[in-house]
Amino acid sequence: MQGIGQSGLLIVAALTAPAGLAEEWLALPDIPPVPADNPQTNAKIELGKQLFFDPRFSSTGTVSCNSCHNLMAGGEDSRTTSMGVHGLAGPRNAPTVWNSAFHSVQFWDGRAGSLEEQAKGPVIAQVEMGMRSLDEAIARVRQIPGYVEQFRNVFGGENAVTVDNAAKAVAAFERTLVTPGSAYDRFAKGDESALNAQQQRGLKRFNELGCTGCHRPPAFSGPWLAGGFFVTFPFHDSPHVTQYKLRDDSGREAVTKDPADRHKYRVPTLRNVALGAPYFHNGAVPTLSEAVQVMAASQLGIKLNEADTADIVAFLGALTGPFPAMSLPRLPATPGVSIVPAN
Amino acid sequence: MQGIGQSGLLIVAALTAPAGLAEEWLALPDIPPVPADNPQTNAKIELGKQLFFDPRFSSTGTVSCNSCHNLMAGGEDSRTTSMGVHGLAGPRNAPTVWNSAFHSVQFWDGRAGSLEEQAKGPVIAQVEMGMRSLDEAIARVRQIPGYVEQFRNVFGGENAVTVDNAAKAVAAFERTLVTPGSAYDRFAKGDESALNAQQQRGLKRFNELGCTGCHRPPAFSGPWLAGGFFVTFPFHDSPHVTQYKLRDDSGREAVTKDPADRHKYRVPTLRNVALGAPYFHNGAVPTLSEAVQVMAASQLGIKLNEADTADIVAFLGALTGPFPAMSLPRLPATPGVSIVPAN
């Protein structure tokens, strides 16, 4: 499907790059990549959903995946950095879980190579869910008959309730958390009316400035690379660096211990970025408008004027939603007793 | 509708008390009492639901009504006492929000005369949602265009976003949080097979012992009295009093300053009590089985044997659910900015 937008950009939904565009303006697929060893099934997705929303696998019984990755909102928590058990806050802003399945690596520093691996991290982070070990967490799952039954049905065998299987179920659920069908996607599929004139100008500037060099359609994240796609942030000096403490975090270097990885981060998706304030790895930048200017200064070495900034912000708004209708899960019970330890 | 249960109890769904029973064994109505000044409408209920699930009206942006009154579970948080912002915990166990609309007064000490009044409390409790004032909370609501539009549609007028209207919307939503149709309700309506033999024995013992004196069908809470129905707990001395620190809390006296109200509490509903562990105002009693024994000792002055205890626990389990299917709400956005203050 092809069409000429009002802006004169050639819009295609095919895999070929249109003339005059550095990137392929693809619509988001309905289904993200699925690993061969964790195929999607309805029962597994339903189990993963319950685990995602269940706060009982945090030390205090108060923090679930959804606490910091709120699916009723932009898939994150509107906070500078997330707050876990006992009111503790870590150093990083919660990335959105929406469309995380289109990232080849997880976490800001890409330290997890899959959603399955990622799912295990927050459970034992002492400033997040605060469990002493994954064994302690899975021991709680084993105390809940409704989970034991579902794990057996989904994974088979008497010892189906394992950390790896729990992670697989959560990851399978997360692979359903995708938002194709945004205004941008409809535009990319040929509906010129899906983006207004300002959004189309924003798309064009986004492309001309080179934003697509890292934020590539269709997910507007980095390209899918097995080892991850990392970029130094901030690259150029600017007053923002000091103002927002952008170099206080060593980024991927903390994972690899390689100085070449200092201040390197995975390129995050811009899908639903309008719902993701505040911005960047440390959540220090309060507005999307300011975030766009910070990116122009720090990555492109330019000062973006207000009109261009507004146009790009308008375009980024076209990457919001739509969000799939979802039922509230029922969490399986332990009648007559709580598995959350007493205060 | 009438029928003779296997236990020989006469079961009726009518308002007349059957012969031989101290109480009317009524099924739960589908609709709880609704105040004349806050009629139920779908739009109001939908608005109240969003407010109920929205954590942005807590100081840290991490605590919503649902955090401590989890609708995916028993309408509470499985904790001894609830944990609010900054990991702070108050002195009381979270009562279930399920069927709270059948209570004539709210909170353990009955200090709120309606759900509308109750809804305002936790927002400004410093160990719960931690806002400095209701004005501060409603100022946040006013920053969210999707809420402003809904308040105008539901309540009318340009100044529709008020604390009272927010409380009305939340209360209207809470009046939908009812669980008629439990095994007990089906039994009360004449389906003898709805309770097994043990549950029927438990019902009989529950009645014979006098539990229904306070926990009256159909909600198994106190009777509906405008000023509330309060009972001293614990009434009798027993080793439990010290073991579980049952008299450390002065109860309703703290509200009325009347020594006659010392250790008095509203009689809570037993609907879904099996999902409400741990138990009592301070959450000190870990299991339902132990809670039943504590009640027998402290309120009836008797030591309940294990068989009776097990039978009553089985009967109480028949007061669980069913829970209405519910969609996950979408919380209206503030694109490009967060209304939660920076860390």
Side-chain angles (χ1 to χ4, degrees):
Chain A
M1 188 186 302
Q2 293 196 342
I4 303 291
Q6 292 172 34
S7 61
L9 293 176
L10 183 68
I11 306 301
V12 299
L15 280 166
T16 53
L21 284 184
E23 296 298 321
E24 298 160 346
W25 294 90
L26 302 170
L28 197 69
D30 291 337
I31 299 172
V34 175
D37 66 348
N38 191 22
Q40 301 286 90
T41 71
N42 289 339
K44 189 191 292 175
I45 291 165
E46 178 54 34
L47 170 59
K49 179 182 176 184
Q50 292 164 50
L51 295 170
F52 186 91
F53 279 98
D54 200 325
R56 291 174 291 180
F57 312 124
S58 61
S59 61
T60 55
T62 57
V63 178
S64 71
C65 305
N66 194 68
S67 297
C68 300
H69 301 285
N70 191 345
L71 295 179
M72 305 176 219
E76 45 77 72
D77 58 7
S78 303
R79 287 182 47 84
T80 308
T81 64
S82 292
M83 183 170 271
V85 295
H86 300 298
L88 297 169
R92 299 250 174 92
N93 179 269
T96 180
V97 68
W98 290 109
N99 305 301
S100 59
F102 288 102
H103 280 131
S104 48
V105 295
Q106 303 296 333
F107 294 117
W108 279 99
D109 51 24
R111 67 185 182 275
S114 66
L115 288 172
E116 285 79 358
E117 191 182 341
Q118 189 281 331
K120 300 174 188 176
V123 178
I124 51 172
Q126 293 310 295
V127 296
E128 299 184 34
M129 296 170 74
M131 297 296 282
R132 277 170 294 200
S133 68
L134 290 170
D135 284 344
E136 184 185 46
I138 205 71
R140 288 204 189 162
V141 180
R142 290 195 185 105
Q143 292 179 67
I144 303 172
Y147 277 132
V148 174
E149 185 184 345
Q150 288 181 77
F151 272 82
R152 285 180 183 161
N153 290 343
V154 169
F155 296 103
E158 283 303 296
N159 298 312
V161 188
T162 66
V163 170
D164 284 344
N165 284 345
K168 281 184 175 181
V170 170
F173 171 59
E174 290 176 331
R175 291 192 177 96
T176 70
L177 303 176
V178 297
T179 62
S182 68
Y184 161 78
D185 292 308
R186 299 196 306 276
F187 186 76
K189 287 184 169 181
D191 176 3
E192 290 180 30
S193 68
L195 298 189
N196 65 26
Q198 183 180 30
Q199 291 170 320
Q200 293 191 33
R201 286 198 309 271
L203 180 151
K204 192 176 175 187
R205 288 298 282 149
F206 185 85
N207 185 49
E208 289 168 348
L209 289 169
C211 306
T212 45
C214 294
H215 293 287
R216 301 193 188 184
F220 293 87
S221 57
W224 187 283
L225 292 176
F229 178 75
F230 299 94
V231 171
T232 301
F233 173 81
F235 185 76
H236 296 284
D237 284 321
S238 77
H240 302 303
V241 174
T242 307
Q243 181 181 1
Y244 297 121
K245 303 181 178 176
L246 298 178
R247 288 199 180 114
D248 282 13
D249 186 323
S250 63
R252 187 163 167 77
E253 182 189 21
V255 179
T256 64
K257 313 302 179 194
D258 181 350
D261 285 332
R262 188 166 302 167
H263 309 311
K264 280 194 177 172
Y265 296 93
R266 175 193 74 168
V267 176
T269 181
L270 298 182
R271 293 265 168 186
N272 304 300
V273 70
L275 307 187
Y279 295 99
F280 300 115
H281 60 273
N282 62 359
V285 176
T287 69
L288 182 54
S289 177
E290 178 73 351
V292 167
Q293 296 210 346
V294 169
M295 284 305 278
S298 65
Q299 305 310 103
L300 306 171
I302 62 171
K303 179 162 169 46
L304 207 60
N305 67 41
E306 289 194 12
D308 281 346
T309 303
D311 289 351
I312 289 173
V313 166
F315 163 64
L316 293 174
L319 296 175
T320 298
F323 298 95
M326 201 180 292
S327 62
L328 200 72
R330 289 260 4 124
L331 305 182
T334 54
V337 65
S338 170
I339 64 164
V340 175
N343 291 4
Chain B
M1 190 185 301
Q2 294 196 342
I4 304 291
Q6 293 173 33
S7 61
L9 292 177
L10 184 68
I11 305 303
V12 299
L15 280 166
T16 52
L21 284 184
E23 296 297 321
E24 299 159 344
W25 293 90
L26 302 170
L28 197 69
D30 291 337
I31 299 173
V34 175
D37 65 348
N38 190 23
Q40 301 285 89
T41 71
N42 288 339
K44 189 192 293 177
I45 291 165
E46 177 54 34
L47 170 59
K49 178 182 175 184
Q50 292 164 49
L51 294 170
F52 186 91
F53 279 98
D54 201 325
R56 291 173 293 180
F57 312 125
S58 61
S59 61
T60 54
T62 57
V63 179
S64 71
C65 305
N66 194 68
S67 298
C68 300
H69 300 286
N70 192 347
L71 297 179
M72 305 175 218
E76 46 79 73
D77 58 7
S78 304
R79 286 181 48 83
T80 308
T81 65
S82 291
M83 182 170 272
V85 295
H86 301 297
L88 297 169
R92 299 250 173 93
N93 180 269
T96 181
V97 68
W98 291 109
N99 304 301
S100 59
F102 288 101
H103 279 131
S104 49
V105 295
Q106 303 296 332
F107 294 117
W108 279 98
D109 51 24
R111 67 184 183 275
S114 66
L115 288 172
E116 286 79 359
E117 190 182 342
Q118 188 281 332
K120 300 173 187 176
V123 177
I124 51 173
Q126 294 309 297
V127 296
E128 299 185 33
M129 296 169 74
M131 296 297 281
R132 278 170 294 198
S133 68
L134 291 170
D135 284 345
E136 184 185 46
I138 205 71
R140 287 203 190 164
V141 180
R142 291 195 185 107
Q143 293 179 65
I144 303 172
Y147 278 130
V148 174
E149 185 183 347
Q150 288 181 78
F151 273 81
R152 286 180 183 161
N153 289 344
V154 169
F155 296 103
E158 283 302 297
N159 298 313
V161 188
T162 66
V163 169
D164 283 346
N165 284 345
K168 281 184 174 179
V170 170
F173 171 59
E174 290 174 333
R175 290 190 177 97
T176 71
L177 303 177
V178 297
T179 62
S182 69
Y184 160 79
D185 293 308
R186 299 196 306 275
F187 186 76
K189 287 185 169 182
D191 176 4
E192 291 181 30
S193 68
L195 298 190
N196 64 30
Q198 184 180 29
Q199 290 169 321
Q200 293 190 35
R201 285 199 309 272
L203 180 152
K204 193 174 175 187
R205 288 299 283 149
F206 185 86
N207 185 48
E208 290 167 348
L209 289 168
C211 306
T212 45
C214 295
H215 293 286
R216 300 194 190 184
F220 293 87
S221 55
W224 187 282
L225 292 177
F229 178 75
F230 299 94
V231 171
T232 301
F233 172 80
F235 186 77
H236 296 283
D237 285 320
S238 77
H240 301 303
V241 174
T242 308
Q243 182 181 1
Y244 297 121
K245 303 180 178 176
L246 298 179
R247 288 198 180 116
D248 283 12
D249 185 322
S250 63
R252 187 163 169 76
E253 182 189 21
V255 178
T256 64
K257 313 300 179 195
D258 181 349
D261 285 333
R262 188 166 301 167
H263 310 311
K264 280 194 176 171
Y265 297 93
R266 174 193 74 169
V267 176
T269 181
L270 297 182
R271 294 264 168 187
N272 304 300
V273 70
L275 307 188
Y279 294 99
F280 300 115
H281 59 273
N282 62 359
V285 177
T287 69
L288 182 55
S289 176
E290 178 74 352
V292 168
Q293 297 211 345
V294 169
M295 284 305 279
S298 65
Q299 303 311 102
L300 306 173
I302 62 172
K303 178 159 170 48
L304 207 60
N305 67 41
E306 289 195 13
D308 281 346
T309 303
D311 289 352
I312 290 174
V313 166
F315 164 63
L316 293 174
L319 296 175
T320 298
F323 298 95
M326 201 179 293
S327 61
L328 200 72
R330 289 270 350 135
L331 305 182
T334 54
V337 64
S338 170
I339 63 164
V340 175
N343 291 5

